[in-house]
Amino acid sequence: MSKVVAGLKYSAEHEWVAVDGDGPVGIGISAVAADALGDIVYVDLPEVGSTVTAGETCGEVESTKSVSDLYSPVTGEVTEINDAVVSDPALINNEPYGAGWLFKVATTEEGPLMSAEEYAATNGGEL
Amino acid sequence: MSENYTALYEQHKKAGASFTDFGGWQMPLKYESELAEHHAVRKTAGLFDLSHMGEVWVTGPDAAAFLDYALVGKLSAVAVGKAKYSLICNADGGIIDDLISYRRPTPEEGVDKYLVIPNAGNAKVVAAELLERAAGFDVVVEDSSAETSLIAVQGPNAEAILLTLVPAEQHALVTELKYYAAVEVSVNGQDLLLARTGYTGEDGFEIYVPNIDAAGLWEALLEVGEGHGLIPAGLAARDSLRLEAGMPLYGNELSRHVNAYAAGLGPVVSLAKESNFIGRDALTAIKAAGVGSTLGQKLVGLKGAGRRAARAHYSVLKDGSLIGEVTSGQPSPTLGYPIALAYVDVEHSEPGTIVDVDLRGKAEPFEVVGLPFYKRVK
């Protein structure tokens, strides 16, 4: 079963959000989503300095088998993107909660987010 | 639709496969990584469960004449031991299925025997259609799909792997077996039908085995294949491999609404054979009208200029106007760029033509290229 990491918050669209004090939040996709997509070969991320809106698409993740929109789980300005996953998208499959993070946002508002327990229970993940 | 399970379902589950419905069958989509499975077939070897495919035996004094009538190819011209790719068509020329037929030896003089392999989702329809078309011919049509499993070993190491399960005195039967030919050999201590065929663009074999013996053969192959880089491979890898090899998939490129000439399968249709066959009149007219060359649409290969892939059902555009539709597409694991098959208006089908594909609202350039996308170095 796909892993769900405790301590992170999760959106219904399978993004995770790592809140670190008052700084920008880190965002990635859950192992549930990465496993369902299969081997990811291309990722399109929002630009640094652009504004993303909770619940709206801000990029896409493409695997050999399918393509999926990336929904921002929060509203705010993008402060940083992970260049490593752009050049090596397999990082998202291998370490979805670590080296496979996608972008950071200086959040003004959070969308509806779940706890790890709630997300795991509703999406068949393993905590 | 009912859910069917192959005799190898437990093996797949144990290996951690994720499953997908294909033609009414629960089949392994992938085990760990479909990319690793794809690369294994290109570089070492992959093991596939293809038990969802159908097996229909056609036997009798009229077997050859009957298949000449029921299919578009000249099956009577196939030598014993060889195989032929063909189509079964409707009277209007629409494709009911694409299939491989193996001509097998028989002990009786004057009796011919063929093994016809339809696709999973079409197996019952093809068997029924053959039965119906058999009226007036001295043949027996027997659908043995339910009792028969099919295991494929594909990739450059396939022959070496297989030889470890074949007695030394029969090795030459395997090493000298030509592409699109089949032979009975002892595999893992059992006489089985072994064909040098596949759907991956690599060298490889397909082995027909009774359901009851399938798990034993599967496990034996995995065991002896371990040192040769053999891993089980699912339908995701099978799809990306066949697409790179430019091979059509029924349901994507082929259907009852498509004819052989548009699909680039004109050479498969034998208008030259003397006997009548179902679809002849329609296909003669379709060819004479120039469908697939000067009229209508044609199946072409597309190569993406960027990194985003075209997918099935995406629109193909030229100067903003709709000129066709993608039937299969994805990033090519071997080539590293997006590839696709698409039906486009014949006037835009020349290799080198630049067209656009509507990738979810954004037009991206693709180049029409010749098929296959990938060809192995022999």
Side-chain angles (χ1 to χ4, degrees), chain B residues 35 38 128 136 212 300 375:
Chain B
L35 270 181
H38 180 108
I212 192 165
V300 298
K375 201 167 179 142

Side-chain angles (χ1 to χ4, degrees), chain A residues 7-50:
Chain A
L8 300 174
K9 294 181 187 177
Y10 295 83
S11 71
E13 288 87 17
H14 307 288
E15 280 79 24
W16 56 257
V17 180
V19 180
D20 179 21
D22 290 336
V25 300
I27 292 165
I29 66 167
S30 75
V32 174
D35 291 346
L37 273 166
D39 291 317
I40 296 164
V41 293
Y42 172 72
V43 58
D44 179 37
L45 297 177
E47 281 173 30
V48 172
S50 67

